[in-house]
Amino acid sequence: RKEVEQDPGPFNVPEGATVAFNCTYSNSASQSFFWYRQDCRKEPKLLMSVYSSGNEDGRFTAQLNRASQYISLLIRDSKLSDSATYLCVVNVGNYGQNFVFGPGTRLSVLP
Amino acid sequence: DTAVSQTPKYLVTQMGNDKSIKCEQNLGHDTMYWYKQDSKKFLKIMFSYNNKELIINETVPNRFSPKSPDKAHLNLHINSLELGDSAVYFCASSQDKGTSGGIYNEQFFGPGTRLTVL
């Protein structure tokens, strides 16, 4: 089993749609969790950290379920500019950082 | 005022050559990383340095040698380049949780170096 797995995608959705991405991780000792966004031929950039109680940032909502080792990202009212690859990232390090990236899910928001 | 910078942005070279990629961060972070993103877009960690000391060394050929002259720089030297080394290499940095006090320490990435081996 891979350390971090994501929906294979791609997701093609119309503008205004709500879309949800799922991610599972295998290391139960994982300590922190993130969603990154990567545009074509660009570097990954942090979209949001994922807190144990769940958190929201505008149209984006992240949830964490430690018992099921599952992370989700919900995007409401999709915009054309949301088209990108979304990377689930898990930090499994105890000292220092060991960030493990999922394979990413490609989202295309269509006009 | 670039946070994490890499040079060169593009690198085209012949098989068997030796090349280096430089990385610098001005964020005051104490941990730096090298990642490889292959043609399938999978981003995989290669090395991690904390305060100039090697912390993570994933299974990469020993033709790849990172060097950290100080905590703001982490360079990647590659010997005897092979076709399979063609990829985008990203440098990144973060603040160690022990010194920042939190566990949600995001990584900041450089713009990437696209290496093509012919």
Side-chain angles (χ1 to χ4, degrees):
Chain A
R1 182 183 172 186
K2 292 179 182 171
E3 286 193 85
V4 179
E5 297 193 73
Q6 295 184 240
D7 289 333
F11 284 59
N12 298 314
V13 304
E15 267 188 292
T18 295
V19 60
F21 300 139
N22 300 318
C23 171
T24 56
Y25 59 95
S26 60
N27 188 333
S28 59
S30 299
Q31 300 191 357
S32 48
F33 312 89
F34 309 86
W35 283 101
Y36 275 70
R37 169 194 170 128
Q38 186 173 23
D39 292 292
C40 188
R41 300 179 79 86
K42 297 286 189 180
E43 71 273 22
K45 291 185 179 177
L46 180 70
L47 178 66
M48 58 197 303
S49 301
V50 185
Y51 303 147
S52 295
S53 54
N55 48 299
E56 188 174 305
D57 182 1
R59 298 181 293 108
F60 300 85
T61 301
Q63 295 283 349
L64 169 65
N65 184 325
R66 283 188 186 268
S68 302
Q69 296 179 201
Y70 167 88
I71 307 158
S72 66
L73 176 69
L74 184 76
I75 305 176
R76 290 181 300 278
D77 189 22
S78 300
K79 311 289 184 194
L80 295 176
S81 58
D82 293 334
S83 297
T85 296
Y86 290 82
L87 302 163
C88 176
V89 184
V90 174
N91 184 1
V92 302
N94 285 320
Y95 170 74
Q97 316 285 3
N98 185 358
F99 293 86
V100 179
F101 281 72
T105 302
R106 173 107 185 106
L107 171 67
S108 292
V109 181
L110 308 172
Chain B
D1 59 348
T2 305
V4 182
S5 59
Q6 292 179 231
T7 54
K9 193 170 174 63
Y10 299 96
L11 185 52
V12 181
T13 188
Q14 300 286 335
M15 260 182 14
N17 284 350
D18 303 338
K19 291 292 179 186
S20 292
I21 307 172
K22 295 185 177 181
C23 177
E24 176 181 1
Q25 54 95 4
N26 62 7
L27 297 166
H29 290 165
D30 50 19
T31 307
M32 295 184 72
Y33 314 78
W34 276 108
Y35 287 86
K36 178 180 180 181
Q37 189 168 43
D38 59 25
S39 57
K40 295 182 180 176
K41 307 299 183 187
F42 192 58
L43 197 65
K44 187 165 172 55
I45 193 166
M46 300 173 69
F47 302 102
S48 165
Y49 267 73
N50 180 270
N51 279 318
K52 303 193 298 174
E53 289 188 24
L54 183 65
I55 300 298
I56 294 170
N57 181 358
E58 292 295 315
T59 306
V60 298
N62 57 14
R63 299 182 293 105
F64 290 79
S65 53
K67 286 187 171 49
S68 182
D70 55 62
K71 74 174 195 178
H73 295 84
L74 181 62
N75 304 323
L76 183 65
H77 189 76
I78 316 170
N79 289 327
S80 303
L81 278 155
E82 300 177 358
L83 293 176
D85 297 334
S86 296
V88 181
Y89 292 84
F90 287 103
C91 177
S93 72
S94 70
Q95 183 60 35
D96 181 84
K97 65 180 180 180
T99 52
S100 74
I103 62 170
Y104 301 106
N105 295 326
E106 69 173 289
Q107 288 183 307
F108 292 81
F109 282 80
T113 296
R114 186 170 295 273
L115 171 65
T116 303
V117 182
L118 304 174

mmCIF file of all heavy atoms in Angstrom, chain A residues 31-73:
data_model
loop_
_atom_site.group_PDB
_atom_site.id
_atom_site.type_symbol
_atom_site.label_atom_id
_atom_site.label_comp_id
_atom_site.label_asym_id
_atom_site.label_seq_id
_atom_site.Cartn_x
_atom_site.Cartn_y
_atom_site.Cartn_z
ATOM 1 N N GLN A 31 1.726 13.237 11.598
ATOM 2 C CA GLN A 31 1.469 14.303 12.554
ATOM 3 C C GLN A 31 0.783 15.520 11.980
ATOM 4 O O GLN A 31 0.047 16.200 12.689
ATOM 5 C CB GLN A 31 2.797 14.726 13.172
ATOM 6 C CG GLN A 31 3.487 13.586 13.888
ATOM 7 C CD GLN A 31 4.656 14.076 14.704
ATOM 8 O OE1 GLN A 31 4.984 15.243 14.695
ATOM 9 N NE2 GLN A 31 5.288 13.176 15.412
ATOM 10 N N SER A 32 1.063 15.856 10.755
ATOM 11 C CA SER A 32 0.409 17.030 10.196
ATOM 12 C C SER A 32 0.091 16.781 8.734
ATOM 13 O O SER A 32 0.699 15.931 8.082
ATOM 14 C CB SER A 32 1.251 18.288 10.388
ATOM 15 O OG SER A 32 2.583 18.098 10.016
ATOM 16 N N PHE A 33 -0.897 17.530 8.270
ATOM 17 C CA PHE A 33 -1.532 17.224 6.997
ATOM 18 C C PHE A 33 -1.816 18.511 6.249
ATOM 19 O O PHE A 33 -2.138 19.545 6.854
ATOM 20 C CB PHE A 33 -2.850 16.455 7.253
ATOM 21 C CG PHE A 33 -2.692 15.315 8.210
ATOM 22 C CD1 PHE A 33 -2.841 15.511 9.570
ATOM 23 C CD2 PHE A 33 -2.368 14.050 7.747
ATOM 24 C CE1 PHE A 33 -2.663 14.469 10.464
ATOM 25 C CE2 PHE A 33 -2.194 13.002 8.628
ATOM 26 C CZ PHE A 33 -2.342 13.202 9.989
ATOM 27 N N PHE A 34 -1.690 18.423 4.936
ATOM 28 C CA PHE A 34 -1.828 19.629 4.123
ATOM 29 C C PHE A 34 -2.473 19.273 2.790
ATOM 30 O O PHE A 34 -2.379 18.139 2.320
ATOM 31 C CB PHE A 34 -0.435 20.227 3.813
ATOM 32 C CG PHE A 34 0.447 20.412 5.017
ATOM 33 C CD1 PHE A 34 1.235 19.382 5.479
ATOM 34 C CD2 PHE A 34 0.497 21.634 5.670
ATOM 35 C CE1 PHE A 34 2.058 19.546 6.580
ATOM 36 C CE2 PHE A 34 1.320 21.806 6.767
ATOM 37 C CZ PHE A 34 2.096 20.763 7.226
ATOM 38 N N TRP A 35 -3.067 20.291 2.182
ATOM 39 C CA TRP A 35 -3.407 20.230 0.766
ATOM 40 C C TRP A 35 -2.566 21.281 0.055
ATOM 41 O O TRP A 35 -2.534 22.447 0.456
ATOM 42 C CB TRP A 35 -4.889 20.512 0.546
ATOM 43 C CG TRP A 35 -5.776 19.349 0.881
ATOM 44 C CD1 TRP A 35 -6.518 19.174 2.016
ATOM 45 C CD2 TRP A 35 -6.004 18.190 0.072
ATOM 46 N NE1 TRP A 35 -7.188 17.979 1.973
ATOM 47 C CE2 TRP A 35 -6.893 17.355 0.785
ATOM 48 C CE3 TRP A 35 -5.559 17.777 -1.183
ATOM 49 C CZ2 TRP A 35 -7.337 16.134 0.278
ATOM 50 C CZ3 TRP A 35 -5.995 16.563 -1.674
ATOM 51 C CH2 TRP A 35 -6.885 15.747 -0.953
ATOM 52 N N TYR A 36 -1.888 20.835 -1.004
ATOM 53 C CA TYR A 36 -1.129 21.734 -1.854
ATOM 54 C C TYR A 36 -1.797 21.772 -3.212
ATOM 55 O O TYR A 36 -2.478 20.824 -3.627
ATOM 56 C CB TYR A 36 0.319 21.237 -2.022
ATOM 57 C CG TYR A 36 1.262 21.665 -0.928
ATOM 58 C CD1 TYR A 36 1.153 21.137 0.354
ATOM 59 C CD2 TYR A 36 2.257 22.606 -1.169
ATOM 60 C CE1 TYR A 36 2.018 21.525 1.361
ATOM 61 C CE2 TYR A 36 3.140 22.996 -0.164
ATOM 62 C CZ TYR A 36 3.013 22.450 1.098
ATOM 63 O OH TYR A 36 3.867 22.843 2.089
ATOM 64 N N ARG A 37 -1.536 22.840 -3.913
ATOM 65 C CA ARG A 37 -2.033 23.003 -5.265
ATOM 66 C C ARG A 37 -0.826 23.179 -6.181
ATOM 67 O O ARG A 37 0.123 23.895 -5.843
ATOM 68 C CB ARG A 37 -2.925 24.241 -5.297
ATOM 69 C CG ARG A 37 -3.303 24.685 -6.661
ATOM 70 C CD ARG A 37 -3.882 26.081 -6.664
ATOM 71 N NE ARG A 37 -3.995 26.517 -8.047
ATOM 72 C CZ ARG A 37 -5.108 26.987 -8.575
ATOM 73 N NH1 ARG A 37 -6.185 27.143 -7.840
ATOM 74 N NH2 ARG A 37 -5.131 27.344 -9.839
ATOM 75 N N GLN A 38 -0.875 22.488 -7.338
ATOM 76 C CA GLN A 38 0.201 22.664 -8.314
ATOM 77 C C GLN A 38 -0.400 22.968 -9.674
ATOM 78 O O GLN A 38 -1.140 22.158 -10.245
ATOM 79 C CB GLN A 38 1.095 21.413 -8.396
ATOM 80 C CG GLN A 38 2.315 21.621 -9.294
ATOM 81 C CD GLN A 38 3.292 20.468 -9.263
ATOM 82 O OE1 GLN A 38 2.942 19.340 -8.941
ATOM 83 N NE2 GLN A 38 4.559 20.747 -9.596
ATOM 84 N N ASP A 39 -0.078 24.144 -10.185
ATOM 85 C CA ASP A 39 -0.487 24.515 -11.539
ATOM 86 C C ASP A 39 0.510 23.921 -12.529
ATOM 87 O O ASP A 39 1.657 23.600 -12.177
ATOM 88 C CB ASP A 39 -0.544 26.037 -11.675
ATOM 89 C CG ASP A 39 -1.667 26.620 -10.842
ATOM 90 O OD1 ASP A 39 -2.828 26.372 -11.186
ATOM 91 O OD2 ASP A 39 -1.375 27.294 -9.833
ATOM 92 N N CYS A 40 0.059 23.829 -13.778
ATOM 93 C CA CYS A 40 0.879 23.193 -14.813
ATOM 94 C C CYS A 40 2.237 23.887 -14.933
ATOM 95 O O CYS A 40 2.298 25.117 -15.048
ATOM 96 C CB CYS A 40 0.128 23.242 -16.141
ATOM 97 S SG CYS A 40 0.922 22.304 -17.438
ATOM 98 N N ARG A 41 3.305 23.136 -14.845
ATOM 99 C CA ARG A 41 4.674 23.616 -15.009
ATOM 100 C C ARG A 41 5.074 24.645 -13.936
ATOM 101 O O ARG A 41 5.932 25.492 -14.170
ATOM 102 C CB ARG A 41 4.877 24.199 -16.407
ATOM 103 C CG ARG A 41 4.614 23.185 -17.515
ATOM 104 C CD ARG A 41 4.792 23.804 -18.887
ATOM 105 N NE ARG A 41 6.187 23.916 -19.253
ATOM 106 C CZ ARG A 41 6.892 22.944 -19.837
ATOM 107 N NH1 ARG A 41 6.331 21.788 -20.106
ATOM 108 N NH2 ARG A 41 8.156 23.132 -20.159
ATOM 109 N N LYS A 42 4.424 24.541 -12.782
ATOM 110 C CA LYS A 42 4.764 25.420 -11.665
ATOM 111 C C LYS A 42 5.091 24.578 -10.439
ATOM 112 O O LYS A 42 4.890 23.363 -10.426
ATOM 113 C CB LYS A 42 3.578 26.337 -11.340
ATOM 114 C CG LYS A 42 3.208 27.289 -12.465
ATOM 115 C CD LYS A 42 4.210 28.404 -12.582
ATOM 116 C CE LYS A 42 3.723 29.476 -13.542
ATOM 117 N NZ LYS A 42 4.704 30.569 -13.666
ATOM 118 N N GLU A 43 5.560 25.279 -9.389
ATOM 119 C CA GLU A 43 5.867 24.565 -8.161
ATOM 120 C C GLU A 43 4.610 24.376 -7.314
ATOM 121 O O GLU A 43 3.654 25.148 -7.432
ATOM 122 C CB GLU A 43 6.931 25.337 -7.344
ATOM 123 C CG GLU A 43 6.454 26.629 -6.706
ATOM 124 C CD GLU A 43 6.567 27.830 -7.621
ATOM 125 O OE1 GLU A 43 6.612 27.672 -8.857
ATOM 126 O OE2 GLU A 43 6.617 28.953 -7.079
ATOM 127 N N PRO A 44 4.600 23.379 -6.446
ATOM 128 C CA PRO A 44 3.476 23.219 -5.517
ATOM 129 C C PRO A 44 3.415 24.399 -4.544
ATOM 130 O O PRO A 44 4.447 24.914 -4.108
ATOM 131 C CB PRO A 44 3.808 21.929 -4.764
ATOM 132 C CG PRO A 44 4.839 21.239 -5.585
ATOM 133 C CD PRO A 44 5.606 22.317 -6.283
ATOM 134 N N LYS A 45 2.191 24.787 -4.209
ATOM 135 C CA LYS A 45 1.999 25.858 -3.223
ATOM 136 C C LYS A 45 0.943 25.424 -2.225
ATOM 137 O O LYS A 45 -0.032 24.758 -2.589
ATOM 138 C CB LYS A 45 1.564 27.153 -3.917
ATOM 139 C CG LYS A 45 2.657 27.780 -4.760
ATOM 140 C CD LYS A 45 2.232 29.112 -5.332
ATOM 141 C CE LYS A 45 3.379 29.707 -6.142
ATOM 142 N NZ LYS A 45 3.022 30.980 -6.789
ATOM 143 N N LEU A 46 1.142 25.810 -0.972
ATOM 144 C CA LEU A 46 0.204 25.416 0.066
ATOM 145 C C LEU A 46 -1.172 26.008 -0.197
ATOM 146 O O LEU A 46 -1.313 27.215 -0.412
ATOM 147 C CB LEU A 46 0.710 25.891 1.430
ATOM 148 C CG LEU A 46 -0.194 25.541 2.601
ATOM 149 C CD1 LEU A 46 -0.161 24.040 2.863
ATOM 150 C CD2 LEU A 46 0.189 26.312 3.844
ATOM 151 N N LEU A 47 -2.172 25.153 -0.179
ATOM 152 C CA LEU A 47 -3.562 25.608 -0.254
ATOM 153 C C LEU A 47 -4.084 25.812 1.165
ATOM 154 O O LEU A 47 -4.597 26.872 1.516
ATOM 155 C CB LEU A 47 -4.404 24.585 -0.994
ATOM 156 C CG LEU A 47 -5.887 24.881 -1.117
ATOM 157 C CD1 LEU A 47 -6.110 26.102 -1.988
ATOM 158 C CD2 LEU A 47 -6.640 23.682 -1.693
ATOM 159 N N MET A 48 -3.960 24.769 1.981
ATOM 160 C CA MET A 48 -4.359 24.894 3.383
ATOM 161 C C MET A 48 -3.812 23.748 4.202
ATOM 162 O O MET A 48 -3.603 22.648 3.693
ATOM 163 C CB MET A 48 -5.885 24.971 3.533
ATOM 164 C CG MET A 48 -6.643 23.813 2.964
ATOM 165 S SD MET A 48 -8.413 24.167 2.733
ATOM 166 C CE MET A 48 -8.945 24.631 4.370
ATOM 167 N N SER A 49 -3.543 24.036 5.464
ATOM 168 C CA SER A 49 -3.231 22.976 6.409
ATOM 169 C C SER A 49 -4.543 22.322 6.818
ATOM 170 O O SER A 49 -5.615 22.920 6.672
ATOM 171 C CB SER A 49 -2.541 23.549 7.645
ATOM 172 O OG SER A 49 -1.351 24.210 7.288
ATOM 173 N N VAL A 50 -4.465 21.112 7.316
ATOM 174 C CA VAL A 50 -5.667 20.388 7.731
ATOM 175 C C VAL A 50 -5.595 20.166 9.229
ATOM 176 O O VAL A 50 -4.690 19.490 9.724
ATOM 177 C CB VAL A 50 -5.793 19.035 7.008
ATOM 178 C CG1 VAL A 50 -7.122 18.370 7.367
ATOM 179 C CG2 VAL A 50 -5.652 19.190 5.502
ATOM 180 N N TYR A 51 -6.553 20.729 9.957
ATOM 181 C CA TYR A 51 -6.562 20.630 11.414
ATOM 182 C C TYR A 51 -7.471 19.492 11.855
ATOM 183 O O TYR A 51 -8.410 19.103 11.146
ATOM 184 C CB TYR A 51 -7.032 21.941 12.036
ATOM 185 C CG TYR A 51 -6.210 23.145 11.629
ATOM 186 C CD1 TYR A 51 -6.790 24.398 11.506
ATOM 187 C CD2 TYR A 51 -4.845 23.040 11.359
ATOM 188 C CE1 TYR A 51 -6.040 25.505 11.130
ATOM 189 C CE2 TYR A 51 -4.091 24.135 10.978
ATOM 190 C CZ TYR A 51 -4.698 25.369 10.863
ATOM 191 O OH TYR A 51 -3.958 26.457 10.498
ATOM 192 N N SER A 52 -7.206 19.002 13.039
ATOM 193 C CA SER A 52 -7.963 17.841 13.533
ATOM 194 C C SER A 52 -9.467 18.088 13.577
ATOM 195 O O SER A 52 -10.262 17.179 13.337
ATOM 196 C CB SER A 52 -7.486 17.467 14.941
ATOM 197 O OG SER A 52 -6.148 17.037 14.897
ATOM 198 N N SER A 53 -9.837 19.330 13.863
ATOM 199 C CA SER A 53 -11.261 19.638 13.998
ATOM 200 C C SER A 53 -11.880 20.031 12.666
ATOM 201 O O SER A 53 -13.057 20.366 12.598
ATOM 202 C CB SER A 53 -11.439 20.776 15.004
ATOM 203 O OG SER A 53 -10.639 21.868 14.626
ATOM 204 N N GLY A 54 -11.095 19.979 11.610
ATOM 205 C CA GLY A 54 -11.592 20.441 10.319
ATOM 206 C C GLY A 54 -11.452 21.951 10.216
ATOM 207 O O GLY A 54 -11.478 22.651 11.233
ATOM 208 N N ASN A 55 -11.294 22.455 9.040
ATOM 209 C CA ASN A 55 -11.138 23.894 8.877
ATOM 210 C C ASN A 55 -11.606 24.331 7.497
ATOM 211 O O ASN A 55 -11.655 23.542 6.555
ATOM 212 C CB ASN A 55 -9.691 24.344 9.152
ATOM 213 C CG ASN A 55 -8.640 23.520 8.451
ATOM 214 O OD1 ASN A 55 -8.511 22.307 8.657
ATOM 215 N ND2 ASN A 55 -7.861 24.158 7.605
ATOM 216 N N GLU A 56 -11.946 25.613 7.459
ATOM 217 C CA GLU A 56 -12.518 26.178 6.246
ATOM 218 C C GLU A 56 -11.757 27.444 5.889
ATOM 219 O O GLU A 56 -11.351 28.210 6.770
ATOM 220 C CB GLU A 56 -13.998 26.503 6.517
ATOM 221 C CG GLU A 56 -14.801 26.918 5.313
ATOM 222 C CD GLU A 56 -16.280 27.069 5.663
ATOM 223 O OE1 GLU A 56 -16.877 26.122 6.188
ATOM 224 O OE2 GLU A 56 -16.812 28.172 5.424
ATOM 225 N N ASP A 57 -11.576 27.643 4.598
ATOM 226 C CA ASP A 57 -10.934 28.871 4.127
ATOM 227 C C ASP A 57 -11.683 29.292 2.883
ATOM 228 O O ASP A 57 -11.431 28.775 1.783
ATOM 229 C CB ASP A 57 -9.454 28.611 3.827
ATOM 230 C CG ASP A 57 -8.731 29.873 3.388
ATOM 231 O OD1 ASP A 57 -9.360 30.950 3.339
ATOM 232 O OD2 ASP A 57 -7.520 29.797 3.082
ATOM 233 N N GLY A 58 -12.633 30.179 3.051
ATOM 234 C CA GLY A 58 -13.447 30.616 1.922
ATOM 235 C C GLY A 58 -14.242 29.454 1.342
ATOM 236 O O GLY A 58 -15.024 28.807 2.042
ATOM 237 N N ARG A 59 -14.012 29.153 0.092
ATOM 238 C CA ARG A 59 -14.765 28.087 -0.595
ATOM 239 C C ARG A 59 -14.178 26.703 -0.332
ATOM 240 O O ARG A 59 -14.711 25.706 -0.831
ATOM 241 C CB ARG A 59 -14.758 28.372 -2.103
ATOM 242 C CG ARG A 59 -15.441 29.670 -2.514
ATOM 243 C CD ARG A 59 -15.416 29.876 -4.026
ATOM 244 N NE ARG A 59 -14.063 30.093 -4.543
ATOM 245 C CZ ARG A 59 -13.397 29.213 -5.260
ATOM 246 N NH1 ARG A 59 -13.917 28.035 -5.559
ATOM 247 N NH2 ARG A 59 -12.177 29.500 -5.702
ATOM 248 N N PHE A 60 -13.104 26.638 0.398
ATOM 249 C CA PHE A 60 -12.390 25.382 0.616
ATOM 250 C C PHE A 60 -12.587 24.881 2.049
ATOM 251 O O PHE A 60 -12.428 25.648 2.995
ATOM 252 C CB PHE A 60 -10.892 25.568 0.347
ATOM 253 C CG PHE A 60 -10.577 26.009 -1.055
ATOM 254 C CD1 PHE A 60 -10.615 27.353 -1.398
ATOM 255 C CD2 PHE A 60 -10.259 25.086 -2.019
ATOM 256 C CE1 PHE A 60 -10.328 27.760 -2.704
ATOM 257 C CE2 PHE A 60 -9.970 25.476 -3.322
ATOM 258 C CZ PHE A 60 -10.010 26.809 -3.658
ATOM 259 N N THR A 61 -12.919 23.599 2.168
ATOM 260 C CA THR A 61 -13.082 22.984 3.486
ATOM 261 C C THR A 61 -12.268 21.709 3.538
ATOM 262 O O THR A 61 -12.375 20.858 2.646
ATOM 263 C CB THR A 61 -14.552 22.648 3.761
ATOM 264 O OG1 THR A 61 -15.328 23.840 3.704
ATOM 265 C CG2 THR A 61 -14.713 22.018 5.149
ATOM 266 N N ALA A 62 -11.463 21.572 4.588
ATOM 267 C CA ALA A 62 -10.645 20.368 4.760
ATOM 268 C C ALA A 62 -11.110 19.619 6.000
ATOM 269 O O ALA A 62 -11.484 20.224 7.007
ATOM 270 C CB ALA A 62 -9.177 20.750 4.888
ATOM 271 N N GLN A 63 -11.103 18.311 5.904
ATOM 272 C CA GLN A 63 -11.491 17.465 7.035
ATOM 273 C C GLN A 63 -10.426 16.402 7.247
ATOM 274 O O GLN A 63 -9.796 15.930 6.291
ATOM 275 C CB GLN A 63 -12.824 16.767 6.749
ATOM 276 C CG GLN A 63 -14.019 17.681 6.605
ATOM 277 C CD GLN A 63 -14.543 18.179 7.934
ATOM 278 O OE1 GLN A 63 -14.159 17.695 9.002
ATOM 279 N NE2 GLN A 63 -15.407 19.178 7.891
ATOM 280 N N LEU A 64 -10.264 16.026 8.507
ATOM 281 C CA LEU A 64 -9.307 14.969 8.867
ATOM 282 C C LEU A 64 -10.015 13.950 9.744
ATOM 283 O O LEU A 64 -10.690 14.320 10.703
ATOM 284 C CB LEU A 64 -8.121 15.572 9.627
ATOM 285 C CG LEU A 64 -7.149 14.596 10.310
ATOM 286 C CD1 LEU A 64 -6.436 13.741 9.280
ATOM 287 C CD2 LEU A 64 -6.142 15.359 11.164
ATOM 288 N N ASN A 65 -9.846 12.699 9.428
ATOM 289 C CA ASN A 65 -10.366 11.609 10.253
ATOM 290 C C ASN A 65 -9.190 10.707 10.602
ATOM 291 O O ASN A 65 -8.775 9.863 9.801
ATOM 292 C CB ASN A 65 -11.441 10.830 9.497
ATOM 293 C CG ASN A 65 -12.081 9.754 10.359
ATOM 294 O OD1 ASN A 65 -11.426 9.132 11.194
ATOM 295 N ND2 ASN A 65 -13.375 9.542 10.175
ATOM 296 N N ARG A 66 -8.632 10.914 11.795
ATOM 297 C CA ARG A 66 -7.430 10.159 12.189
ATOM 298 C C ARG A 66 -7.722 8.673 12.343
ATOM 299 O O ARG A 66 -6.892 7.828 12.031
ATOM 300 C CB ARG A 66 -6.855 10.704 13.484
ATOM 301 C CG ARG A 66 -6.080 11.997 13.320
ATOM 302 C CD ARG A 66 -5.383 12.370 14.615
ATOM 303 N NE ARG A 66 -4.739 13.666 14.552
ATOM 304 C CZ ARG A 66 -3.465 13.834 14.187
ATOM 305 N NH1 ARG A 66 -2.725 12.810 13.855
ATOM 306 N NH2 ARG A 66 -2.949 15.047 14.163
ATOM 307 N N ALA A 67 -8.915 8.351 12.828
ATOM 308 C CA ALA A 67 -9.243 6.940 13.051
ATOM 309 C C ALA A 67 -9.243 6.168 11.733
ATOM 310 O O ALA A 67 -8.773 5.031 11.649
ATOM 311 C CB ALA A 67 -10.597 6.829 13.737
ATOM 312 N N SER A 68 -9.763 6.813 10.692
ATOM 313 C CA SER A 68 -9.827 6.160 9.383
ATOM 314 C C SER A 68 -8.621 6.504 8.520
ATOM 315 O O SER A 68 -8.498 5.988 7.403
ATOM 316 C CB SER A 68 -11.102 6.584 8.647
ATOM 317 O OG SER A 68 -12.242 6.260 9.411
ATOM 318 N N GLN A 69 -7.762 7.402 9.025
ATOM 319 C CA GLN A 69 -6.580 7.838 8.279
ATOM 320 C C GLN A 69 -6.992 8.375 6.914
ATOM 321 O O GLN A 69 -6.507 7.927 5.865
ATOM 322 C CB GLN A 69 -5.555 6.695 8.189
ATOM 323 C CG GLN A 69 -5.034 6.332 9.568
ATOM 324 C CD GLN A 69 -4.032 5.189 9.594
ATOM 325 O OE1 GLN A 69 -3.837 4.567 10.625
ATOM 326 N NE2 GLN A 69 -3.387 4.896 8.500
ATOM 327 N N TYR A 70 -7.867 9.354 6.984
ATOM 328 C CA TYR A 70 -8.528 9.868 5.789
ATOM 329 C C TYR A 70 -8.574 11.391 5.863
ATOM 330 O O TYR A 70 -8.840 11.971 6.911
ATOM 331 C CB TYR A 70 -9.933 9.263 5.767
ATOM 332 C CG TYR A 70 -10.907 9.851 4.810
ATOM 333 C CD1 TYR A 70 -11.005 9.380 3.506
ATOM 334 C CD2 TYR A 70 -11.775 10.857 5.211
ATOM 335 C CE1 TYR A 70 -11.927 9.906 2.636
ATOM 336 C CE2 TYR A 70 -12.700 11.391 4.339
ATOM 337 C CZ TYR A 70 -12.776 10.912 3.060
ATOM 338 O OH TYR A 70 -13.690 11.427 2.192
ATOM 339 N N ILE A 71 -8.294 12.023 4.721
ATOM 340 C CA ILE A 71 -8.332 13.481 4.620
ATOM 341 C C ILE A 71 -9.192 13.830 3.409
ATOM 342 O O ILE A 71 -9.163 13.105 2.402
ATOM 343 C CB ILE A 71 -6.909 14.047 4.392
ATOM 344 C CG1 ILE A 71 -5.938 13.532 5.451
ATOM 345 C CG2 ILE A 71 -6.905 15.568 4.391
ATOM 346 C CD1 ILE A 71 -4.498 13.602 4.993
ATOM 347 N N SER A 72 -9.940 14.907 3.509
ATOM 348 C CA SER A 72 -10.743 15.318 2.371
ATOM 349 C C SER A 72 -10.594 16.814 2.122
ATOM 350 O O SER A 72 -10.202 17.577 3.011
ATOM 351 C CB SER A 72 -12.216 14.975 2.602
ATOM 352 O OG SER A 72 -12.731 15.752 3.671
ATOM 353 N N LEU A 73 -10.899 17.188 0.898
ATOM 354 C CA LEU A 73 -10.931 18.600 0.508
ATOM 355 C C LEU A 73 -12.190 18.830 -0.291
ATOM 356 O O LEU A 73 -12.447 18.108 -1.264
ATOM 357 C CB LEU A 73 -9.698 18.963 -0.330
ATOM 358 C CG LEU A 73 -9.677 20.390 -0.880
ATOM 359 C CD1 LEU A 73 -9.498 21.398 0.260
ATOM 360 C CD2 LEU A 73 -8.549 20.571 -1.905
#
